[in-house]
Amino acid sequence: MLLGYLRVSKADGSQTTDLQRDALTTAGVRPEHLYEDLASGTKDDRPGLAAGLKALRAGDVLVVWKLDRLGRNLRHLVNLVHDLTQRGVGLKVVTGHGAAVDTTTPAGKLVFGIFATLAEFERAMLRERTRNGLDAARQQGRIGGRRPKLKTHQQQEIVQLVNSGQKTAADAARLFNVHPATLSRLLRRDKAP
């Protein structure tokens, strides 16, 4: 029996599993045998993967869209495939760098080892490029992250209104249409030496 696993990194709706779902069903996985997670691959808690692994029996094949959907890192991926192999379960990768992986064959096992190493290398390179880009931006005076909800003059006005007693923090939050926690952080920063 074929069981499929699909995962997207963000659960906020900006990413969907539609492409993966279509590829896995085209590869022969029945919709009721699909297991899904909406979480970063680096997280340990992936209930969809845990349920899928539990459902696998000897002779079954786990089908994934891409190799990076399955493992947190190279060690996790290699250990997972080793465990599957010990249980008599195969792994088949539909697309991406690992498309030639089909651990039900000796050649697929070899290709798996090579592509798993490449996937880990690619992830490490991405991390390094991101870190270098952030460092370069900081050196140029740019600060990453979300833009402040309030402009500087609004922040000063809120601090003045609350400190003078003209408004309570809750009233000021409503007046400037911000969450009370945003205002609390602002007022704490203002009181810090």
Side-chain angles (χ1 to χ4, degrees):
M1 179 171 59
L2 299 177
L3 277 87
Y5 175 68
L6 41 124
R7 178 184 62 78
V8 290
S9 299
K10 296 182 181 178
D12 62 4
S14 63
Q15 297 177 341
T16 67
T17 57
D18 296 344
L19 178 64
Q20 294 177 51
R21 185 178 307 281
D22 291 346
L24 295 181
T25 54
T26 300
V29 181
R30 294 175 48 182
E32 63 269 18
H33 295 146
L34 290 173
Y35 294 86
E36 176 178 334
D37 280 317
L38 303 173
S40 170
T42 59
K43 298 217 184 275
D44 287 334
D45 184 31
R46 292 191 282 166
L49 179 60
L53 293 174
K54 187 176 181 180
L56 288 166
R57 302 288 177 250
D60 291 347
V61 177
L62 178 62
V63 183
V64 293
W65 181 58
K66 282 187 175 181
L67 205 52
D68 66 353
R69 301 294 86 195
L70 187 58
R72 292 191 316 269
N73 54 42
L74 178 60
R75 178 176 289 158
H76 178 254
L77 197 55
V78 170
N79 289 340
L80 182 60
V81 172
H82 178 70
D83 291 345
L84 292 175
T85 304
Q86 292 294 321
R87 293 171 51 193
V89 174
L91 171 68
K92 184 172 184 174
V93 180
V94 177
T95 189
H97 292 301
V101 174
D102 182 352
T103 62
T104 59
T105 68
K109 289 177 185 174
L110 171 66
V111 172
F112 165 76
I114 294 168
F115 282 116
T117 303
L118 291 174
E120 179 71 12
F121 176 73
E122 182 179 2
R123 183 169 172 82
M125 293 302 295
L126 177 63
R127 256 193 318 265
E128 183 179 334
R129 285 193 302 269
T130 301
R131 204 173 312 119
N132 290 341
L134 290 171
D135 289 344
R138 276 189 214 102
Q139 288 176 355
Q140 295 173 3
R142 293 191 312 246
I143 300 172
R146 177 185 272 181
R147 297 199 187 282
K149 180 85 171 166
L150 299 166
K151 295 184 178 2
T152 305
H153 69 87
Q154 291 174 317
Q155 292 177 10
Q156 292 168 348
E157 187 178 347
I158 288 172
V159 168
Q160 189 267 329
L161 286 171
V162 172
N163 287 343
S164 69
Q166 294 175 351
K167 295 276 184 198
T168 65
D171 289 339
R174 279 192 293 279
L175 178 67
F176 285 87
N177 195 27
V178 294
H179 194 277
T182 302
L183 216 61
S184 295
R185 284 190 299 275
L186 171 64
L187 295 172
R188 271 196 311 271
R189 270 198 320 264
D190 180 62
K191 290 181 182 175

